[in-house]
Amino acid sequence: MDYYAANPGPVDDSVLYDQEKHVSAAVWEGQERGALRCHEHTSKLDRWLLTDKQIELVKKAGFGYLRLIPAISLDNPLISALVERWRKETNTFHMTVGEMTVSLEDVAYLLGLPIDGEPVIGVTYTTCDSICVKYLGKSPDSGYTSGGMVKLSWLKETFSECSENASIEEIECNTRAYLLYLIGSTIFSTTTGNKVPVMYLPLFENFNEAGKYAWGAAALSFLYRALGNAALRSQSTISGCLTLLQCWSYYHLNVGRPKLHHDPIHECFPFVLRWKGKHSGPTSNRDVAFYRKALDCLKPTDVDWCPYANISHTVIPENILNQLILGRSKTMLICFDKAERHLPDRCLRQFGMHQTIPEEVHMWERKTRGVDGGVNLSGKLEAELNEWANRRFHVVEAEEDLDEGEYMNWYFRITRRVVGRPVSIAAEFERLNAALRDIAHIADTLSTHGMDEQQIQSVTRIRYKAHECLRDQIGSSITVNVENSENDVGKRIRGKERVRRRSVSKRRRKDDDPDEYYALTSCTNNNNNAQSHLYSPAVADDVDGGQLYHVENEVVLPPQHLCLDVNDVAKDCEEAAAEEADVDQLSHGSEESPGGPHAAHSSLENTEDVTCQTDNTVAA
């Protein structure tokens, strides 16, 4: 088996230093979280009736193209599988072919938002009344607000229709409400339900000034933060512009990409419109595991590094074309308190360049918005704002005639190669179970003739531990506590009671259904059946993020919960044999009749009796 299939990495954790918190660590341990809940609220955007005057104001504010984007059905499993490969340490996807990311260039092409301009930052608010009255002319009822957020439903119910004869003030208020609804439904969609912070409203006070903000950079910063949060093993939701993320995947990866019903030769801008309407392709039976496997097996031929190269730039607005150079800017992206690094030097192939080993990414503090209202975040993000101000001085350039082999050798050491297990935990459990049965069978059938006392003790100990481990897997365990003698006494009593209860239940099974009883105990009375199906895992259930296996109406823990590693059985047996007097007595009993008919036969039922006798010995 490939080394990386057993050890998915990173081998060198200097880059992915938060691996233990990442969802891929949980997936490797068998803790599936299913598809993420995706928060985007675009389904009712088309119910807003904008007048010609409102559309003009929306264009001035920089959202003339974003408003054209239709509601696109989200593929939650695909998005969830992509999140499993997102790393907040680098703000990139760690694919099998190298790092990739959603860049400023992608935002410009796909959404048509400006990626150059003033940073989207301002004053925070904890209440909505005064700010809504000032910029919308109305204040929502208390049921429509939460802290500094207002419900999208209130905005739509109150401002979605504007008369052609309305006053300039009313038109502007209704347009601000629409813009707040638009960004709250798309690029700044949150996990709080259908709410949007009112802190964006002052940025729409003057529509011409609003058009000078780098809304595309803010949208990408927001998405980066949402991806980083969703990639934590404890999360179950994701927010941000998921239409951008999904369409980015459609353009760059041949994974889950739908077949189009229309001819895309004559492209419409923004390029997200390429995926407008219905398209073919089976998606109903594709879950997270399906996409995870596809990404784990991603080949270079499945990647389109420069998907916009063959698209005619004649359809791209001039102001967007002039800003595309910043798609390669190594800078800080800002959206109020969400400041995230944009690192195109890690994804140079997306810009038609050869990939080199990127510079080290230093850890940075992700600051969050304070709860106090009236706080201007500009004073808290001085360093980040300075980076953005110098963005034009940090545009990455190409290096010619480079061998990317050195980069890939480095990359494979610092990355997480695969997310899903090549061999399932259930299969690993069965393999370990089979190995335990083999050990038990060998110990049962091994003749002690000619062995000295120490060797006999070791064989007996191996036999005991193997059967103990198998017995524990079908619903019993020995609790060891050497610090509390009173607890020890209670455990002895409870242990004997468990054995008596098992004996009673076995007698009942024998009386009720003799065939079933003898089938269950066939491995006890006949060592030739030592590999009985009694220990075979059947149905798996999720329990607290892990799995339990039902075995003949008993519950079995997965391999990480087994009482013993089979690779350490012999060593453990030899060390323990010399310390346990009761085990010595058992060993002498075996020595007295090494060639007897029962010397090569040990059953689970007999093991339970032995366990009852040795509970105290193990605890001693």
Side-chain angles (χ1 to χ4, degrees), residues 444-449 527 589-601:
D444 288 342
T445 57
L446 182 65
S447 172
T448 58
H449 182 70
N527 283 313
S590 300
E591 184 183 15
E592 289 173 2
S593 54
H598 300 292
H601 298 278

Side-chain angles (χ1 to χ4, degrees), residues 124-230:
T124 61
Y125 296 92
T126 56
T127 59
C128 299
D129 293 348
S130 60
I131 197 74
C132 287
V133 169
K134 181 176 180 179
Y135 296 104
L136 303 179
K138 297 178 182 179
S139 175
D141 295 336
S142 59
Y144 288 103
T145 64
S146 175
M149 308 182 78
V150 64
K151 284 189 176 182
L152 296 173
S153 56
W154 177 74
L155 294 172
K156 184 176 68 66
E157 293 167 5
T158 310
F159 301 99
S160 59
E161 295 185 18
C162 183
S163 172
E164 291 284 354
N165 301 322
S167 65
I168 295 296
E169 182 180 359
E170 184 178 353
I171 292 174
E172 290 183 347
C173 286
N174 282 39
T175 305
R176 292 190 192 102
Y178 169 75
L179 290 173
L180 187 62
Y181 187 97
L182 176 64
I183 64 174
S185 302
T186 55
I187 59 175
F188 301 145
S189 177
T190 68
T191 59
T192 58
N194 66 334
K195 300 185 184 74
V196 58
V198 296
M199 63 187 182
Y200 301 108
L201 273 176
L203 304 182
F204 302 135
E205 180 176 11
N206 183 296
F207 294 96
N208 288 321
E209 292 299 316
K212 297 178 181 179
Y213 287 103
W215 293 105
L220 192 56
S221 177
F222 197 101
L223 179 61
Y224 279 3
R225 182 65 62 89
L227 284 167
N229 291 336

Side-chain angles (χ1 to χ4, degrees), residues 446-478:
L446 182 65
S447 172
T448 58
H449 182 70
M451 294 185 182
D452 59 28
E453 182 177 348
Q454 184 176 1
Q455 291 172 329
I456 294 175
Q457 289 178 354
S458 297
V459 170
T460 305
R461 182 61 177 162
I462 291 173
R463 179 187 301 136
Y464 164 71
K465 293 296 291 185
H467 282 294
E468 178 193 45
C469 197
L470 288 170
R471 175 186 56 75
D472 285 348
Q473 292 182 44
I474 57 173
S476 178
S477 63
I478 297 176

Side-chain angles (χ1 to χ4, degrees), residues 156-439:
K156 184 176 68 66
E157 293 167 5
T158 310
F159 301 99
S160 59
E161 295 185 18
C162 183
S163 172
E164 291 284 354
N165 301 322
S167 65
I168 295 296
E169 182 180 359
E170 184 178 353
I171 292 174
E172 290 183 347
C173 286
N174 282 39
T175 305
R176 292 190 192 102
Y178 169 75
L179 290 173
L180 187 62
Y181 187 97
L182 176 64
I183 64 174
S185 302
T186 55
I187 59 175
F188 301 145
S189 177
T190 68
T191 59
T192 58
N194 66 334
K195 300 185 184 74
V196 58
V198 296
M199 63 187 182
Y200 301 108
L201 273 176
L203 304 182
F204 302 135
E205 180 176 11
N206 183 296
F207 294 96
N208 288 321
E209 292 299 316
K212 297 178 181 179
Y213 287 103
W215 293 105
L220 192 56
S221 177
F222 197 101
L223 179 61
Y224 279 3
R225 182 65 62 89
L227 284 167
N229 291 336
L232 297 175
R233 62 193 301 166
S234 59
Q235 299 301 306
S236 60
T237 63
I238 184 173
S239 59
C241 193
L242 303 180
T243 292
L244 168 64
L245 174 61
Q246 183 165 303
C247 291
W248 174 89
S249 177
Y250 287 168
Y251 269 103
H252 286 82
L253 305 175
N254 187 22
V255 174
R257 178 188 294 162
K259 296 180 180 179
L260 300 175
H261 283 315
H262 58 84
D263 188 352
I265 293 178
H266 303 289
E267 295 288 350
C268 297
F269 190 82
F271 293 156
V272 161
L273 296 176
R274 181 178 187 177
W275 310 104
K276 180 180 180 180
K278 295 182 179 179
H279 35 70
S280 62
T283 58
S284 58
N285 61 341
R286 294 179 176 179
D287 55 9
V288 179
F290 173 88
Y291 287 121
R292 179 189 301 144
K293 184 176 180 180
L295 293 176
D296 281 347
C297 300
L298 195 70
K299 302 183 294 295
T301 54
D302 296 322
V303 178
D304 190 346
W305 292 100
C306 302
Y308 318 113
N310 297 324
I311 297 177
S312 174
H313 283 195
T314 58
V315 299
I316 303 175
E318 185 177 355
N319 66 313
I320 297 295
L321 279 174
N322 293 336
Q323 297 177 5
L324 288 178
I325 186 66
L326 291 179
R328 295 189 279 118
S329 177
K330 186 176 179 181
T331 185
M332 188 72 74
L333 308 175
I334 297 171
C335 178
F336 278 81
D337 60 315
K338 297 173 178 62
E340 294 287 341
R341 292 198 181 279
H342 183 247
L343 301 170
D345 61 315
R346 307 190 73 88
C347 310
L348 292 176
R349 284 175 286 184
Q350 290 183 221
F351 305 98
M353 305 177 188
H354 292 290
Q355 183 62 57
T356 59
I357 297 177
E359 295 179 2
E360 180 182 356
V361 180
H362 297 287
M363 296 178 61
W364 78 96
E365 180 185 1
R366 285 176 165 89
K367 301 172 184 178
T368 56
R369 176 162 48 97
V371 296
D372 296 332
V375 176
N376 192 325
L377 295 174
S378 299
K380 294 187 175 182
L381 298 174
E382 291 183 7
E384 291 83 352
L385 290 169
N386 286 334
E387 279 199 45
W388 175 252
N390 295 321
R391 59 195 177 279
R392 293 188 176 275
F393 300 109
H394 298 283
V395 175
V396 297
E397 302 293 342
E399 295 187 33
E400 301 297 332
D401 302 326
L402 290 176
D403 179 10
E404 292 187 353
E406 182 181 358
Y407 162 75
M408 292 306 297
N409 289 335
W410 168 84
Y411 176 69
F412 286 148
R413 289 188 58 80
I414 62 93
T415 192
R416 182 82 167 183
R417 284 281 298 271
V418 296
V419 176
R421 279 181 174 267
V423 180
S424 68
I425 287 183
E428 285 290 332
F429 171 75
E430 173 60 16
R431 183 190 65 82
L432 182 58
N433 216 348
L436 283 171
R437 293 197 301 268
D438 288 343
I439 292 173

Side-chain angles (χ1 to χ4, degrees), residues 533-544:
H533 68 279
L534 175 60
Y535 304 108
S536 300
V539 183
D541 290 338
D542 288 333
V543 178
D544 295 334

